[in-house]
Amino acid sequence: MSKDADVIVIGAGIVGAACAHALAQAGQRVLVLDDHRGGATAAGMGHLVVMDDNPAELALSHHSLEQWRGWVPHMPADCAWSACGTLWLAANAPEMDAALEKQARLQAYGVAAEMVSASALQALEPVLRKDLTGALKVPGDGLVYAPNAAQWLLNQYPQAIQVRQVAAVDVEEPRVRLSTGEWLKADAVVLASGIYATQICPELPIRPKKGQLLITDRYPGTVHHQLVELGYVTSAHHAQGPSVAFNVQPRPTGQLLIGSSRQFDDTSVDLDPHMLARMLQRAQHYLPGIGDLNAIRCWTGLRAATPDSLPILGAHPQRPHLWLAVGHEGLGITTAPGSAQILAALMTGATPPLDPAPYSATRFAELS
Amino acid sequence: MSTQTPTHTLTVNGQTIAVAHGTTVAAALAIAGNGVSRISVSGQARAPVCGMGVCQECRVWVNGQRRLGCQTLCAAGMEVVSTHNTALGQML
């Protein structure tokens, strides 16, 4: 049986697209399978944000953002790149201390980050509530419209990347069985289908973390930066129970995209009005006038969360020829480029741009 | 038995029209010859589609507030403006 490609990538979201792109760059012939059901890439906010909960996250997000900044000048306008930067908002003295600590961590890593006083913050974003203590500005952050960015990545190497709209239902590596019953063969298979990867690999230690978003009508010039509460790190990121945090983006269309909520193990795509209300109350707490805006749509999505919030990148420890690029939780758009480079390097024997150890599947007992 | 249907006089994009009681703002736009309710982000003309408040294509200004044209009944003295006829950008 002749092979259908050098590598089959399952999932055409941002992570699968970036993996296909990196593998094509490394000279591989790639077949990408996607069933168009829409995953976290289609549902997410598309933020490109340096995150620093731990050194491995900082290394991956910082390296990835440099890749993004290299890509975006070449992307078409419909990828909606915006170099808006992030303002991490401090509501009180302890959060201001947290901002200073964050600034020190980022600067030590070479990431530009500047403190913004309360009065300077009001000048930057006049619609914020007036009693905030200040903010940390990270000017290198930005945002994209991720579905189009993924499509752009897949289009970059038309000779090397082929995309097929079909559901992959089983892997007996290095073969993939389709919903049509057909088997496809390659040298290696990459699983990059977010939370749906558990349907093919139930042993993966990833859990759905549902999120809800709301987008408004167009109100250009209302806010200028991505606005995130510093409490985000403590109130939402590490929480086990349902949580909300204030996160608003000024989309290039003039719309405001409002997040964010987190609920574990709810796999329904239904809106949860209670969580949505909590999320919007949180947004109103920071942007008092936001309730007067016209919302035009809200939706849900599922993040694929690992126990330590880092993605799983590299070989499946028990299944030769099966490679994993999953578990990016809420940071998949940001970290897709670095994740793909690490995976492609491991697969082709090249030197990864970062130490791949923190992202290895062997860190989980279920997989080692 | 015949009764005179009450009418309301309102302005649609500056044009004064009279419509029957019970007419929606979306219908008033069409009556006024303004089939285009708004312009999409990519510059395409949009018109009301669903008539039930779901498609969001009939978003218009009604007396200075954003409303769904298909879910709003005309009233006397109402001022209706298509969103592409106004400066986008209403500060909070």
Side-chain angles (χ1 to χ4, degrees):
Chain A
M1 177 179 168
S2 66
K3 67 183 180 184
D4 297 279
D6 296 327
V7 181
I8 294 173
V9 176
I10 300 173
I14 196 72
V15 174
C19 286
H21 181 263
L23 286 162
Q25 253 174 349
Q28 302 289 300
R29 201 163 51 85
V30 186
L31 173 59
V32 181
L33 307 178
D34 192 272
D35 61 5
H36 281 213
R37 85 176 98 180
T41 297
M45 295 185 84
H47 50 207
L48 306 177
V49 180
V50 176
M51 291 291 279
D52 59 334
D53 287 349
N54 56 65
E57 186 180 67
L58 176 54
L60 186 60
S61 59
H62 173 59
H63 177 79
S64 295
L65 265 179
E66 295 198 324
Q67 302 305 305
W68 273 112
R69 283 190 285 264
W71 285 348
V72 289
H74 306 289
M75 288 183 169
D78 69 4
C79 291
W81 156 250
S82 164
C84 59
T86 301
L87 285 172
W88 291 90
L89 306 174
N92 49 43
E95 288 188 7
M96 207 60 179
D97 291 342
L100 283 163
E101 287 167 24
K102 188 177 182 70
Q103 182 194 29
R105 274 196 305 276
L106 294 180
Q107 286 184 337
Y109 213 84
V111 179
E114 56 204 72
M115 293 301 297
V116 175
S117 69
S119 57
L121 181 58
Q122 280 305 312
L124 287 175
E125 299 289 359
V127 295
L128 278 170
R129 62 183 243 231
K130 306 299 176 198
D131 60 344
L132 294 173
T133 317
L136 177 67
K137 181 179 173 183
V138 184
D141 287 351
L143 53 89
V144 291
Y145 181 59
N148 287 351
Q151 191 58 52
W152 178 81
L153 283 168
L154 291 170
N155 290 342
Q156 291 313 292
Y157 293 95
Q159 305 303 316
I161 300 176
Q162 191 195 343
V163 183
R164 223 176 122 177
Q165 183 183 340
V166 68
V169 293
D170 198 8
V171 175
E172 283 177 17
E173 60 274 14
R175 295 191 309 154
V176 175
R177 185 163 63 87
L178 308 180
S179 54
T180 57
E182 184 185 352
W183 285 93
L184 299 177
K185 190 171 182 298
D187 295 331
V189 178
V190 175
L191 197 51
S193 45
I195 196 61
Y196 303 120
T198 52
Q199 293 174 0
I200 286 173
C201 258
E203 71 277 18
L204 288 174
I206 52 178
R207 291 163 67 192
K209 206 174 190 180
K210 180 172 171 174
Q212 307 196 84
L213 291 173
L214 178 146
I215 196 156
T216 70
D217 207 340
R218 285 179 274 169
Y219 300 91
T222 305
V223 300
H224 307 90
H225 304 79
Q226 170 162 245
L227 305 175
V228 191
E229 63 171 296
L230 265 166
Y232 187 80
V233 176
T234 47
S235 74
H237 215 59
H238 296 303
Q240 286 298 304
S243 64
V244 296
F246 171 64
N247 185 342
V248 162
Q249 290 178 342
R251 301 302 298 187
T253 55
Q255 294 170 286
L256 297 187
L257 180 52
I258 304 170
S260 61
S261 72
R262 288 161 193 268
Q263 287 166 277
F264 267 116
D265 296 330
D266 180 349
T267 54
S268 76
V269 295
D270 300 343
L271 285 168
D272 180 331
H274 174 69
M275 285 300 287
L276 192 61
R278 274 183 63 189
M279 185 181 100
L280 294 174
Q281 281 159 3
R282 194 73 190 157
Q284 206 161 16
H285 181 64
Y286 283 88
L287 291 175
I290 209 167
D292 293 333
L293 302 187
N294 186 26
I296 60 169
R297 197 162 75 89
C298 30
W299 65 95
T300 65
L302 302 176
R303 309 170 180 94
T306 62
D308 62 5
S309 297
L310 287 173
I312 304 172
L313 305 171
H316 190 300
Q318 292 130 19
R319 298 177 65 170
H321 312 294
L322 181 60
W323 299 79
L324 302 170
V326 290
H328 290 75
E329 202 181 325
L331 212 50
I333 313 299
T334 295
T335 60
S339 299
Q341 284 184 336
I342 289 172
L343 191 79
L346 292 172
M347 290 179 72
T348 58
T351 305
L354 304 170
D355 175 13
Y359 322 104
S360 166
T362 56
R363 72 186 191 273
F364 297 115
E366 299 91 323
L367 290 170
S368 60
Chain B
M1 184 179 88
S2 78
T3 55
Q4 185 75 36
T5 308
T7 58
H8 304 299
T9 302
L10 67 159
T11 64
V12 175
N13 292 328
Q15 177 188 349
T16 303
I17 61 167
V19 297
H21 180 70
T23 303
T24 65
V25 166
L29 278 162
I31 291 166
N34 297 153
V36 174
S37 54
R38 67 180 190 92
I39 303 293
S40 80
V41 167
S42 55
Q44 294 169 313
R46 297 293 188 184
V49 174
C50 74
M52 56 188 273
V54 172
C55 76
Q56 299 281 323
E57 299 295 359
C58 63
R59 283 149 29 223
V60 291
W61 294 100
V62 175
N63 296 337
Q65 299 208 305
R66 291 186 192 221
R67 292 281 180 263
L68 291 179
C70 77
Q71 298 297 296
T72 307
L73 291 176
C74 292
M78 193 178 256
E79 189 185 354
V80 177
V81 182
S82 302
T83 52
H84 66 283
N85 284 354
T86 61
L88 286 175
Q90 166 111 327
M91 295 297 283
L92 287 173

